[in-house]
Each structure stands twice: as C-alpha cells, then as structure tokens.
Amino acid sequence: MKLISIVVPVFNEQENINVFYQEVCKHMESLNYSFELVFVDDGSTDGTPLIMDKLSQQDSRVRSILLARNFGHQIALTCGLDHARGEAVVTMDGDMQHPPEMLPLLIGKWEAGFEIVQTIRKDTEGVSWSKRFTSGMFYRVINALSNTRIAEGGSDFRLLDRKVVETLKNFKEKARFIRGMVGALGYKQIQIEFVAPERFAGKSKFSYKKMIHFALDGITAYSRLPLRMALYLGLISGLLSFLLTADVVYTKLFTTEAVPGWATIAASVLLLGGLQLIGLGIIGEYIGRIFEEVKQRPLYWVSREITGNAQSNAKKNSAVA
C-alpha cells in the first residue's frame, strides 16, 4: 500500500492541532492509502509540543519534529519535506484554513498523473480588506518583476510527487520562497481553486512585518529587475543632472538672469541623494542575502523528534545543511 505524507508546520497552534488531526484521519482513512502525519513545531511557546508528543505516543502514524528555535514557516516546511517518506507529500497548515476534506481531491489528481497539485485560494472567509489588497498587490508586483509566474492566491497547500520532493531537496538557499521554487520546477502541474475558511481558533501568526519579509524574499530570490531599475534611475538622474548643469552654464554665460539658485541646488541634491540611497538600499538587500548564503550554515536544527511510541534521542540537536 502506497504511503502518503502530510507535512504540517505549526507555531503556537495548541487550540487547533487535535481538531486538525481528527479531520485529517477521518478523510485519509476513507482512502486506500497508508499515511503519516508529520508535524514540525517551529519553536512554539505554548502547549503545542506537548500535544504533538501525546499524539505521537497514541498514534504511530504521527511523527513530531521539534525545531530548536523559531526558523520561520518556509524553513519549517522545508524540514517537513526533508523528513517525509511518502510517495506523495501534501503540505498544509494546521489552522484548518487548508481544508482536510480536499485531501481526496488532491490525491485523485495525483492518481490521474499530475506530479504537482497546487491549490489556489480564491478568497478567505473573515479576512480584512487590507490583507486582501496587500496579498493581491504582492502577486502583481512579483509577477511583474519575475520571469517565474506565480498564480495569484497560490498557497502552501499542495501535493508533490516523490520525484518533485527529491528535486526540491536539492535547493539549499536560506531565503526560501517555496511557492516560487515549486512554480519554477516544471513537471506536470494542475491548479485547484478553493475558498479558505476562517481559522478554527487562535490568531494568525503571519504579521504584516512577516508579510513584508516574505515579499522581499520572493522578489529578491526570483528577480534582478530591482537592480536594473536602480541602474536605470541612475542613468535618468545623471541625464537630468547633465541637462540642469548645461542650463546653469548657459544662464551664467549668455544671460543676465543668473541669481543665487539655492532652491534649484537643494532640489537637485535631494533628488540625486534620494535616488542614490534607493539604489544603495536595493543593492544592500541583495548583498545581505549573499552574506547569509556564503556562511553555509544549516537551514535548521532539530531539538527532538518523536516517532511512534518512542522518542528518537538519536535525532537530538541534529542539523540539516
């Protein structure tokens, strides 16, 4: 019987895990597949690790991986993919906004020959207008800047065939944008639309600050256009400066209208200074990412792994590069 892995990164989700576990089991047990549920705790500070521990002790299909600290959602997702053993791997969140009842549909598409089954979130119940707007703008901007097309509403709720997972495991960059990575892999893909329900309990941990960092990771990982834009702005500002200088020289030599032009000077200095700072900021963002990559540090390290009815002490403090 084929094994399906379900990878679930969690962070402070103690109110949701039990309900999520029950729903996944209900829908997976109706299929002719064995399955494993791989929880990855991303440094939770509530009772999430205790609940994961209990589920792992009670059900041998549940594996719990506890990261040593908070590494972020994309790294936790990467850890789960590294540890998943199934012939197909489903990644999803544990807050019930990725509906477990869609699991048979995703697996059905995989059975039909699709190697990547990507869900597209058409809408999210109860989400604010500002979050809808910023999410839409993010996809428009990244698709305008990048050659890799990312469907608007794309989520981390997807099914990957084993060959896709093995390919993805070869990607070692620190600033990870898995939606872009999966989109650029190729393979036979299909998209499925869904409406995300409200969170079952608790609040979203994806703050506006994290959204901005996520957007920067996506843009800088898949586009060099900001660097080119900085070059173009520099060329344009240089041309404007040359024209302004020519006008000043002409006014001084051939007219009697030359007056102390502090306003013009101040405006030109501020314009050029602002453009230079923008360019330096863009370059600095890319250099910062180069700096993180060349350190060659592990992507994450595991504090403890709980498998079946026994804790795997051999996995303590393990690290993955």
Side-chain angles (χ1 to χ4, degrees), residues 2 26 107 138 162 279:
K2 292 182 178 180
K26 179 175 73 174
I107 294 171
F138 163 70
R162 169 48 57 183

Side-chain angles (χ1 to χ4, degrees), residues 98-117:
H98 293 164
E101 58 265 27
M102 289 185 64
L103 288 169
L105 177 59
L106 269 63
I107 294 171
K109 296 298 183 183
W110 174 61
E111 292 173 332
F114 292 99
E115 294 157 321
I116 299 176
V117 185

Side-chain angles (χ1 to χ4, degrees), residues 118-186:
Q118 176 66 59
T119 67
I120 303 297
R121 187 181 59 253
K122 292 178 61 178
D123 196 8
T124 303
E125 297 176 1
V127 74
S128 65
W129 175 87
S130 62
K131 202 152 189 178
R132 283 195 182 95
F133 176 77
T134 53
S135 176
M137 285 299 299
F138 163 70
Y139 285 105
R140 291 184 184 94
V141 169
I142 196 170
N143 283 324
L145 296 179
S146 173
N147 292 325
T148 301
R149 176 78 184 171
I150 301 173
E152 185 171 344
S155 71
D156 288 315
F157 183 23
R158 63 177 69 88
L159 180 145
L160 306 174
D161 185 80
R162 169 48 57 183
K163 71 174 78 172
V164 180
V165 174
E166 293 302 320
T167 301
L168 199 58
K169 286 164 69 174
N170 292 320
F171 288 61
K172 298 298 184 182
E173 58 260 42
K174 305 292 189 296
R176 303 180 75 79
F177 182 62
I178 294 178
R179 296 176 197 180
M181 294 162 68
V182 171
L185 286 178

